[in-house]
Amino acid sequence: MKRLTYHFRTNISFDQDVTDHYFTLRCLLRDTPFQHILSQTLTLEPETYWLLQRDGFGNLLEVGCHRAAHRVFGFTVAGEAEVDISQPQPDRCNPLFSYASPLTAVGPGLTALFEAQGRGKSPEELMHLVHRVIAYTPGVTGIHTTAEEALALGQGVCQDEAHILIALLRMAGYPARYVCGLFVGEGATHAWVEYYDQGCWYGLDPTRDCLPVENYLVISYGRDYSDCPVERGVFRGDSCQLQTVFMQVREKAQ
């Protein structure tokens, strides 16, 4: 068991005033069978009213609107969590995690990879396979890149490796889901995968080629990235925007 403290900040700067800024955030961490949130706060800039909801996958949603003119929109999450993965924990599986989603749809490339190197392999072996065939390369893919497209490039980031592994796991008969979260250290958010077997969920991180342990924190689950964006919004105004993200997770001495 580990106790982790976390600080997660996203800042969006606009080059002109914007108004009527409607936003949906998935930035608050959720309780899971392995993760207990001990304390957590959300601060918005500019300060504005928001409502707490849940989406269809049980993720926490923070929904609101800032109508006044502004050139900065930011949010900061800070808290403390207890993580214990010492024993598998029985949990339910949403049937949607067994079916292809827009970013994990199987095409010729994924089919060929599975038939040549994936059929009959364990989930952990599939993780190693994805790590081998995809070179971690920031900037070559985007949030709309599919698993099939990333595989064709042979390059991508954690989101792309997660999508490819999810597709292979589902082809192998395992329900699988995308995980957005944080990792001990500093940087940005991370993505990995969980698969369902005999009533429990198990983690796989194809980017680091390892099994997630107690230095991972879950923000949200989904079929793929499109179910888990940390921030989405619309506003009134003709403005370019620049987004910066910083997170820090540390282990707390007990």
Side-chain angles (χ1 to χ4, degrees):
M1 179 186 297
K2 288 186 179 181
R3 186 165 290 189
L4 305 176
T5 61
Y6 54 92
H7 180 93
F8 174 43
R9 170 73 181 176
T10 295
N11 193 77
I12 305 172
S13 300
F14 303 95
D15 64 355
Q16 299 184 49
D17 285 347
V18 300
T19 61
D20 298 326
H21 187 161
Y22 290 85
F23 58 87
T24 299
L25 309 178
R26 286 181 181 82
C27 60
L28 287 174
L29 278 66
R30 56 180 290 169
D31 278 307
T32 77
F34 299 101
Q35 172 178 291
H36 177 53
I37 305 302
L38 302 173
S39 64
Q40 186 165 224
T41 60
L42 170 61
T43 305
L44 297 180
E45 180 190 356
E47 184 176 347
T48 195
Y49 180 75
W50 56 276
L51 294 172
L52 183 64
Q53 302 176 2
R54 286 190 185 270
D55 66 16
F57 298 106
N59 302 313
L60 295 172
L61 295 180
E62 303 78 51
V63 180
C65 176
H66 189 74
R67 295 189 179 278
H70 58 284
R71 293 197 177 191
V72 173
F73 178 76
F75 52 94
T76 302
V77 176
E80 186 174 330
E82 195 172 72
V83 184
D84 183 359
I85 64 167
S86 58
Q87 297 293 329
Q89 298 294 324
D91 199 4
R92 295 178 296 175
C93 178
N94 189 318
L96 290 175
F97 294 135
S98 296
Y99 299 99
S101 57
L103 297 178
T104 63
V106 173
L110 285 163
T111 300
L113 177 64
F114 182 76
E115 293 298 335
Q117 302 184 58
R119 184 172 292 281
K121 298 296 178 63
S122 69
E124 190 170 345
E125 288 172 323
L126 292 174
M127 174 188 72
H128 298 323
L129 172 60
V130 173
H131 185 76
R132 289 198 305 271
V133 299
I134 299 297
Y136 186 84
T137 314
V140 298
T141 58
I143 61 173
H144 301 297
T145 303
T146 67
E148 188 76 14
E149 291 167 342
L151 180 61
L153 288 171
Q155 303 177 78
V157 291
C158 58
Q159 170 187 307
D160 305 297
E161 294 191 48
H163 287 157
I164 293 169
L165 181 55
I166 288 170
L168 295 175
L169 286 165
R170 290 174 181 162
M171 294 172 74
Y174 295 97
R177 63 188 181 186
Y178 183 97
V179 189
C180 173
L182 308 175
F183 183 82
V184 167
E186 297 181 351
T189 56
H190 186 48
W192 64 97
V193 173
E194 290 183 354
Y195 70 96
Y196 195 71
D197 188 30
Q198 298 184 18
C200 299
W201 288 99
Y202 300 92
L204 301 167
D205 185 347
T207 303
R208 293 185 168 89
D209 201 23
C210 67
L211 305 182
V213 289
E214 291 168 343
N215 49 359
Y216 286 69
L217 289 171
V218 174
I219 298 176
S220 57
Y221 297 123
R223 298 166 299 165
D224 58 32
Y225 168 83
S226 64
D227 293 326
C228 300
V230 172
E231 183 273 334
R232 273 182 177 161
V234 294
F235 54 82
R236 187 184 301 275
D238 183 13
S239 175
C240 296
Q241 55 184 296
L242 175 66
Q243 183 179 85
T244 57
V245 177
F246 177 78
M247 74 85 189
Q248 182 183 73
V249 180
R250 292 179 175 174
E251 183 176 353
K252 185 177 182 179
Q254 301 188 47

